[in-house]
Amino acid sequence: MSKLFDLTGRAILVTGASRGIGFAMAETLAQHGAAVVLNARDPEALEAKAEVIRGQGLKAEIATFDVTDADASREAMERIERDHGRLYGLINNAGVQHRSPILEFTTADFERVVSINLTSCFTNSREAIRLMTPHGGGRIINTVSMLGPQARPTVPAYIAAKEGLRAMTRALAVEVGAQGILVNAIAPGYIATELNQALLDNKEFSDWVVSKTPAGRWGQPSELGGGAVYLMSEAGAFVNGQILSIDGGMSVQV
Ligand code: GCO
């Protein structure tokens, strides 16, 4: 059997992994042999999700920290290095959304979204790169969004942060490629997650998503896992600085 997508022996930290896309990516990575470390701020929710993976006879640990706490993030990654010999991969998936008309959108709202969705990805990537370099490399995936190049009203902080994260993906890819570290991004379309529950419950909005998506439906979190495996595996060994869109074609439809 080909080893092209075999992640055995690869310790991979996934942030925002107690639900939605983050958990789906972590579960699929574990199903391909990775030793996954699930991060979120709620230890009970994390442990319950880790048990779902362990119940499949697979490897899953938890690391409870707030991604905006740079020291806690670094300590968690150093612990993975001690426990597994190296941190092979990092998926910067943790993110928040804030929807509000511009005149009611406070500066604090904006700064909070940018702090979680962009700044924490920078600090965590820097600390992961510090650990990966002596081992000859590793992989970083940033969860961006279809929104960025495309926009819609009421979510300016999210769009700015996610577009910035696309740019940071390219910036880091060109800086650390020579160290064997590949940095890419996955851009989900509209996925049926808890973060989007308010949109799913809004028939007008949900019908709009379906009408604008060539695949004619919302995506499922499980449909993001394969892209993560690809970018973490030998199959992705020469992919660097790229944005992998997983959106049913929505980003290319007029
Ligand atoms: C929104 C949604 C989007 C999706 C996704 C789309 O309010 O429009 O939350 O941001 O989460 O990012 O690609």
Side-chain angles (χ1 to χ4, degrees):
M1 177 67 73
S2 166
K3 296 282 189 183
L4 201 57
F5 296 96
D6 182 357
L7 300 178
T8 302
R10 297 186 178 186
I12 301 171
L13 172 63
V14 184
T15 68
S18 64
R19 61 183 187 167
I21 290 170
F23 173 70
M25 286 180 173
E27 183 179 38
T28 309
L29 291 166
Q31 290 168 344
H32 286 74
V36 295
V37 181
L38 283 64
N39 157 262
R41 290 172 299 168
D42 178 346
E44 286 75 34
L46 271 179
E47 188 55 34
K49 288 297 190 182
E51 273 305 307
V52 171
I53 295 175
R54 296 179 195 128
Q56 301 170 51
L58 305 170
K59 297 174 187 159
E61 301 165 30
I62 70 169
T64 306
F65 61 88
D66 183 325
V67 292
T68 63
D69 179 341
D71 289 338
S73 302
R74 177 179 43 76
E75 287 161 11
M77 286 186 259
E78 289 171 349
R79 186 162 54 249
I80 294 168
E81 160 114 337
R82 286 195 302 274
D83 295 348
H84 294 273
R86 72 184 283 192
L87 171 67
Y88 183 83
L90 167 65
I91 299 187
N92 289 308
N93 173 77
V96 293
Q97 180 56 283
H98 184 87
R99 305 180 183 103
S100 169
I102 181 67
L103 296 185
E104 297 154 32
F105 209 111
T106 70
T107 306
D109 291 331
F110 188 93
E111 289 177 340
R112 175 175 169 269
V113 172
V114 171
S115 171
I116 295 167
N117 292 14
L118 179 57
T119 309
S120 75
C121 298
F122 168 75
T123 53
N124 292 342
S125 296
R126 179 189 62 210
E127 295 314 312
I129 289 163
R130 197 188 309 277
L131 292 169
M132 291 171 176
T133 298
H135 293 284
R139 305 288 176 88
I140 296 174
I141 299 172
N142 296 313
T143 300
V144 295
S145 167
M146 184 196 78
L147 297 188
Q150 285 83 22
R152 78 176 190 86
T154 75
V155 287
Y158 186 94
I159 289 173
K162 291 295 189 181
E163 181 74 331
L165 191 51
R166 284 176 178 248
M168 194 188 84
T169 298
R170 292 187 285 268
L172 295 186
V174 301
E175 181 161 348
V176 300
Q179 289 133 256
I181 301 170
L182 303 176
V183 186
N184 294 286
I186 289 175
Y190 279 88
I191 310 299
T193 62
E194 290 176 41
L195 181 131
N196 284 333
Q197 195 55 54
L199 304 178
L200 285 156
D201 294 342
N202 178 325
K203 187 176 184 318
E204 183 183 358
F205 191 96
S206 182
D207 289 350
W208 171 79
V209 167
V210 171
S211 72
K212 292 287 283 183
T213 305
R217 61 178 175 85
W218 285 72
Q220 293 302 317
S222 60
E223 294 175 304
L224 278 298
V229 171
Y230 166 60
L231 292 173
M232 284 289 174
S233 70
E234 282 315 297
F238 200 50
V239 180
N240 193 26
Q242 301 306 304
I243 314 291
L244 176 60
S245 290
I246 302 179
D247 64 13
M250 190 176 189
S251 56
V252 299
Q253 173 163 298
V254 292

